[in-house]
């Protein structure tokens, strides 16, 4: 398996609309995808964050199918996997040369992944996997499900650390360029919430355009990134740089 853990493959969050997002070429993202892409078109599978958001899931597949084609990364089709066809996953996954773990609400997607037994099905998968935002977060062995919706930061029953897919040990926090100044439930997202949760944990904080590339047991951080550990935030890399992890 080759794993791309992105904040956003297009350098910005997905927004439904007529414009087709262009895959981000910064930090050799498209070049690195092409380097491992088969020399023929492959079937793509997009595993949803919200298994019941059928219209949104279909739209995301439609636009990203075109995005990958424009980037000369040919797909036969990009099929959404959600509640409509989740029972077919054990057949669809081995047929797919590319899998996208979609973005959305981390706990919602995590519950869906657990329900369909995705972690176990990935044991024998050898294709390309791309995480997008929440998908990258849920790829971890133990997921840090950072509070993101109103009420979650102050809910004593909200679970911030939950089992994930086990594709990596890295905890990624995406979209730093957009959310670094956010306030949730009266608390500053990074200074109050994330800093406290990082005690005993390590978080890799990525802006859009940066990603982690994992293959054959090696992991490479590509692009600008920060590290938060035990409440301390430090700059790791600049845009255009790479760092072996």
């Amino acid at each position: 398996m080759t794993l791309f853990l992105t904040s956003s493959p297009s350098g910005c969050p997905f927004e439904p609309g007529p414009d087709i997002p262009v895959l981000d070429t910064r930090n050799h993202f498209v070049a690195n995808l092409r380097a491992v892409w088969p020399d023929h078109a492959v079937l793509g599978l997009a595993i949803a964050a919200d298994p019941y958001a059928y219209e949104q899931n279909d739209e995301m597949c439609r636009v990203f199918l075109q995005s990958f084609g424009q980037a000369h990364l040919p797909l036969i089709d990009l099929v959404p996997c959600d509640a409509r066809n989740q029972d077919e996953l054990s057949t669809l996954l081995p047929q797919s040369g590319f899998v996208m773990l979609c973005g959305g609400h981390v706990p919602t997607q995590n519950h869906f992944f657990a329900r369909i037994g995705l972690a176990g099905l990935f044991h024998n998968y050898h294709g390309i996997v791309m995480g997008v935002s929440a998908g990258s977060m849920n790829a971890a062995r133990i997921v840090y499900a950072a509070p993101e919706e109103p009420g979650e930061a102050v809910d004593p029953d909200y679970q911030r650390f939950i089992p994930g897919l086990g594709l990596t040990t890295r905890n990624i926090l995406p979209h730093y360029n957009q959310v670094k100044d956010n306030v949730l439930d009266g608390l500053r997202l990074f200074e109050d919430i994330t800093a406290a949760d990082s005690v005993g944990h390590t978080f890799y904080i990525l802006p859009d355009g940066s990603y982690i590339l994992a293959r054959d047991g090696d992991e490479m951080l590509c692009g600008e990134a920060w590290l938060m550990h035990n409440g301390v935030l430090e700059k790791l890399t600049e845009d255009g740089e790479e760092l072996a992890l």
Side-chain angles (χ1 to χ4, degrees):
M1 179 190 297
T2 301
L3 182 62
F4 291 82
L5 299 172
T6 79
S7 176
S8 169
S10 59
C12 59
F14 171 75
E15 294 288 346
D19 295 333
I20 302 301
V22 176
L23 293 188
D24 201 333
T25 59
R26 287 178 293 173
N27 301 303
H28 309 291
F29 176 62
V30 171
N32 284 333
L33 270 171
R34 287 176 182 157
V36 297
W37 204 267
D39 58 2
H40 55 82
V42 297
L43 180 65
L45 185 66
I47 306 182
D50 183 345
Y52 301 104
Y54 301 149
E55 184 176 345
Q56 178 180 320
N57 298 338
D58 288 344
E59 176 68 3
M60 184 175 294
C61 285
R62 183 188 70 82
V63 297
F64 274 107
L65 178 63
Q66 294 183 61
S67 293
F68 274 76
Q70 290 174 358
H72 305 291
L73 298 164
L75 289 167
I76 298 169
D77 197 3
L78 185 57
V79 178
C81 175
D82 54 26
R84 292 171 293 184
N85 61 350
Q86 64 184 45
D87 294 338
E88 302 171 29
L89 181 58
S90 60
T91 300
L92 286 170
L93 186 62
Q95 297 174 353
S96 304
F98 170 74
V99 175
M100 182 166 72
L101 307 174
C102 298
H105 185 237
V106 175
T108 300
Q109 184 181 58
N110 187 275
H111 294 155
F112 179 52
F113 284 178
R115 190 173 83 201
I116 61 180
L118 184 58
L121 292 173
F122 265 139
H123 285 165
N124 296 313
Y125 183 76
H126 303 291
I128 300 167
V129 177
M130 184 183 76
V132 179
S133 189
S136 294
M137 299 169 75
N138 276 316
R141 182 177 63 84
I142 299 297
V143 177
Y144 173 53
E148 57 180 302
E149 293 191 349
E152 290 180 344
V154 293
D155 182 356
D157 296 322
Y158 180 79
Q159 297 184 31
R160 302 189 184 194
F161 293 92
I162 50 182
L165 295 178
L167 305 182
T168 181
T169 60
R170 312 291 174 182
N171 287 127
I172 289 175
L173 296 180
H175 311 308
Y176 183 57
N177 52 309
Q178 298 174 46
V179 303
K180 61 183 178 180
D181 297 321
N182 281 11
V183 174
L184 181 66
D185 300 326
L187 300 170
R188 296 171 299 173
L189 185 60
F190 281 92
E191 292 88 341
D192 299 326
I193 299 173
T194 308
D197 290 342
S198 73
V199 175
H201 302 279
T202 300
F203 304 142
Y204 291 84
I205 301 175
L206 307 182
D208 294 343
S210 300
Y211 61 99
I212 290 176
L213 170 58
R215 189 181 189 191
D216 299 328
D218 296 323
E219 292 181 314
M220 182 76 70
L221 175 60
C222 304
E224 187 177 26
W226 288 258
L227 187 75
M228 181 171 278
H229 176 67
N230 286 340
V232 178
L233 181 67
E234 63 174 313
K235 188 75 173 284
L236 277 183
T237 48
E238 301 289 348
D239 199 43
E241 293 182 344
E242 296 180 344
L243 177 67
L245 299 177

